[in-house]
Amino acid sequence: QQQVKQSPQSLIVQKGGIPIINCAYENTAFDYFPWYQQFPGKGPALLIAIRPDVSEKKEGRFTISFNKSAKQFSLHIMDSQPGDSATYFCAASPGGFKTIFGAGTRLFVKA
Amino acid sequence: DAGITQSPRHKVTETGTPVTLRCHQTENHRYMYWYRQDPGHGLRLIHYSYGVKDTDKGEVSDGYSVSRSKTEDFLLTLESATSSQTSVYFCAISTDIINQPQHFGDGTRLSIL
């Protein structure tokens, strides 16, 4: 019940495409859903986050869509660029400090 | 980049030896975290701290201990290292406003032979 399931494991898109990464959860106590971006050799960086009282949040080219009834949320990257090639992690938290991470998606954007 | 320094960046050691990893922050943030990253598991919380000398366990705390004697430093100790603790370890910090990891260090790659 504490898991966050992330898919796909890897993703290749052409420059300008819109990669979509999906996550699902079971624990209805989760109330904070962040996404992190990680480049090779670096630590993750908080990218964007959403709370379940909204269905969508946009920051620049990154959009989170949230479906509370389905217990699913997804990250869309508009007009993707080769510089977006990285590993992306979704996560969920029931409040407090114990954020649960998905297994990660390796994204490669072809030039 | 947030001022987080992890040391050492790489370490190779033998089974049974104690190992201490250090996280140093210059942001004066209250909350600090230790995670381990393994393929197929994402990041898993080992321990976290909500103030000087205030720490608590995460989901994979067995075999690890932590200490925080100053706001800026958070130490992770493997009391008797095992091969299953071979991993990449990340420290993270966050402000009082949000008690979720916001900024991460660049990690320590630890190999236990």
Side-chain angles (χ1 to χ4, degrees):
Chain A
Q1 199 180 15
Q2 283 290 92
Q3 284 187 315
V4 176
K5 295 183 179 179
Q6 184 172 347
S7 63
Q9 281 188 309
S10 61
L11 188 54
I12 301 173
V13 299
Q14 292 285 348
K15 177 182 173 181
I18 306 176
I20 301 172
I21 303 169
N22 300 299
C23 288
Y25 64 97
E26 290 294 324
N27 187 350
T28 56
F30 289 148
D31 68 353
Y32 178 75
F33 301 87
W35 285 87
Y36 294 85
Q37 179 189 57
Q38 185 179 28
F39 294 106
K42 295 292 187 180
L46 181 61
L47 192 61
I48 185 173
I50 197 168
R51 293 201 182 272
D53 52 344
V54 298
S55 60
E56 185 177 276
K57 183 174 181 180
K58 293 182 180 180
E59 286 188 6
R61 295 183 294 107
F62 299 92
T63 298
I64 301 177
S65 298
F66 188 84
N67 186 331
K68 188 174 181 178
S69 60
K71 292 185 282 188
Q72 295 175 347
F73 57 111
S74 59
L75 177 70
H76 301 234
I77 305 175
M78 307 303 175
D79 187 27
S80 59
Q81 301 296 313
D84 296 328
S85 298
T87 299
Y88 293 82
F89 294 93
C90 64
S93 173
F97 297 90
K98 297 183 180 179
T99 302
I100 305 296
F101 284 77
T105 296
R106 294 185 69 175
L107 172 65
F108 181 68
V109 181
K110 292 170 125 178
Chain B
D1 286 350
I4 305 171
T5 303
Q6 291 188 232
S7 60
R9 293 295 315 279
H10 302 272
K11 186 172 182 68
V12 180
T13 191
E14 293 184 348
T15 301
T17 60
V19 177
T20 295
L21 308 183
R22 181 181 183 237
C23 178
H24 178 80
Q25 59 143 333
T26 58
E27 306 297 316
N28 201 37
H29 283 1
R30 180 177 175 187
Y31 303 135
M32 298 185 76
Y33 314 77
W34 276 108
Y35 285 88
R36 60 178 289 174
Q37 183 174 36
D38 304 288
H41 289 277
L43 290 99
R44 292 180 291 175
L45 181 65
I46 305 170
H47 282 280
Y48 63 93
S49 171
Y50 46 96
V52 174
K53 297 186 180 179
D54 291 323
T55 65
D56 205 349
K57 296 179 180 180
E59 63 180 302
V60 291
S61 60
D62 287 348
Y64 302 94
S65 62
V66 290
S67 65
R68 191 169 178 200
S69 59
K70 299 185 288 185
T71 297
E72 58 266 36
D73 290 326
F74 193 31
L75 304 181
L76 176 71
T77 297
L78 288 64
E79 293 139 8
S80 177
T82 67
S83 58
S84 64
Q85 294 175 310
T86 292
S87 186
V88 181
Y89 290 85
F90 288 99
C91 172
I93 63 175
S94 62
T95 64
D96 288 11
I97 298 172
I98 178 168
N99 54 359
Q100 311 295 331
Q102 289 177 285
H103 307 287
F104 284 79
D106 286 339
T108 294
R109 184 172 295 274
L110 178 63
S111 297
I112 300 163
L113 307 178

